[in-house]
Amino acid sequence: MTYRTVLTETRGRVGIVQLNRPQAMNAFNTAMLTELFDALEVFDKDENIGAIIVTGNEKAFAAGADIKEMAQASPFQMITEARVEIWDRIRGIKKPVIAAVSGWALGGGCEFALSCDMIIASESAKFGQPEITIGVIPGAGGTQRLARLLGKQLAMEMVINNRTLTAAEALHFGLVNRVVPVEGYLDAAVAFAEEIAARAPLAVRMAKDSVNAAFETSLTEGLKAEKRNFYPLFSTEDQKEGMQAFIEKRKADWKGR
Ligand code: CAA
């Protein structure tokens, strides 16, 4: 697929997708969503890639769904054109996805960042769900993911009263992993992703799947899910290599099998 609304690049084992509609504050129109998920799925299948970054620009990660595109939509169009369901494709990505957020992450932009596995925020990042100000509510997971991450009170305030979180507040409340200077924020995210991309790939995949299980199940079922991912790793060359390398006091040489 030739992309018009996203840019892609690789740095070592890190794949980067940059949202590229700066004239619209990177608002997600259908074209950009389609291209974003295509690019993510291509990186996910590429064995030379160990982690994926999604970023925007310094001023805006993304200002949400494209209001101009959906302003006249009927409910039927919203459903049949999969304008909301398409966002769920992020859940099918097996490799770690890191959002590198600078500037506005609003509406669907905030929701997309939350549905990534980790977030590196620049000092200028601002997270919010302003849908209430245009007569709707979040439709791409915001009510659910914010409530799980932040608890009921703050999630309610963000969704019902358009409370915006600064980068420092987001770090304080556990919404983001790191806050870094605006200048070089993407390089900082790449350094963070490179560390992950250099780890044993199958173990990383099982680790991501296991943590995500915690948000879907009871503790009993979650513990079973963890064990289902733990035991098969003992059939991998990387488990033998990793433990032998520890014993021999050397760096492991991962094969991804
Ligand atoms: N959709 C379409 N266009 C958008 C947009 C959006 N979500 N956000 C910004 N733009 C456009 C503006 O219309 C403007 O275009 P023009 O130059 O053609 O007028 C351009 O981007 C620059 O925006 P501003 O002039 O508004 O820039 P600003 O610096 O003054 O403000 C902002 C920036 C605070 C992000 C402001 O643009 C804003 O509030 N945007 C809308 C945020 C929003 O309501 N998001 C929720 C969308 S609904 C949603 O996401 C549903 C869901 O759950 C999936």
Side-chain angles (χ1 to χ4, degrees):
M1 186 187 267
T2 312
Y3 302 133
R4 290 176 296 114
T5 59
V6 302
L7 302 170
T8 59
E9 68 170 295
T10 56
R11 293 200 210 167
R13 285 181 50 76
V14 178
I16 304 172
V17 187
Q18 183 182 9
L19 308 173
N20 191 34
R21 296 188 72 220
Q23 72 286 2
M25 294 277 164
N26 288 335
F28 289 102
N29 61 6
T30 307
M32 195 170 83
L33 279 169
T34 308
E35 293 181 7
L36 165 64
F37 288 113
D38 185 83
L40 284 173
E41 286 161 6
V42 168
F43 278 141
D44 202 32
K45 289 192 192 96
D46 184 343
E47 64 180 26
N48 297 312
I49 295 296
I52 308 168
I53 288 178
V54 179
T55 194
N57 55 56
E58 276 186 16
K59 201 169 171 198
F61 175 71
D66 191 313
I67 298 168
K68 291 167 190 168
E69 191 184 68
M70 67 185 167
Q72 300 306 323
S74 67
F76 194 64
Q77 280 170 319
M78 292 300 287
I79 296 167
T80 53
E81 293 167 14
R83 292 196 198 171
V84 173
E85 268 75 14
I86 191 172
W87 301 73
D88 287 338
R89 278 167 67 183
I90 185 71
R91 302 178 76 200
I93 305 294
K94 307 281 189 288
K95 289 176 185 161
V97 182
I98 295 146
V101 177
S102 188
W104 297 108
L106 296 179
C110 182
E111 291 170 291
F112 182 81
L114 294 175
S115 54
C116 292
D117 301 307
M118 285 164 275
I119 303 177
I120 302 298
S122 91
E123 283 164 349
S124 74
K126 286 175 284 295
F127 298 85
Q129 299 290 159
E131 287 88 345
I132 199 80
T133 68
I134 53 171
V136 290
I137 65 168
T143 61
Q144 300 308 296
R145 291 199 172 93
L146 282 174
R148 281 169 170 74
L149 272 166
L150 301 176
K152 178 175 156 183
Q153 278 72 10
L154 189 51
M156 283 285 186
E157 195 181 343
M158 290 180 73
V159 171
I160 291 184
N161 206 25
N162 193 22
R163 160 92 182 264
T164 302
L165 299 185
T166 63
E169 287 174 321
L171 184 66
H172 174 74
F173 292 122
L175 199 85
V176 305
N177 296 75
R178 305 259 193 289
V179 177
V180 298
V182 177
E183 196 180 318
Y185 81 94
L186 183 56
D187 291 338
V190 170
F192 182 84
E194 267 171 349
E195 222 179 292
I196 293 163
R199 298 197 182 280
L202 294 172
V204 168
R205 177 175 170 158
M206 295 308 204
K208 169 170 168 164
D209 189 72
S210 302
V211 173
N212 278 335
F215 296 95
E216 304 285 346
T217 55
S218 65
L219 179 60
T220 303
E221 289 306 313
L223 291 171
K224 284 184 197 160
E226 183 186 83
K227 286 184 182 63
R228 274 197 299 275
N229 285 338
F230 176 70
Y231 293 131
L233 287 169
F234 282 78
S235 68
T236 66
E237 287 180 32
D238 283 350
Q239 174 267 328
K240 300 289 176 281
E241 164 65 7
M243 294 193 181
Q244 200 55 38
F246 172 82
I247 292 163
E248 294 170 10
K249 300 186 189 300
R250 61 173 173 82
K251 196 169 177 288
D253 179 17
W254 306 123
K255 296 282 188 269
R257 50 182 192 257

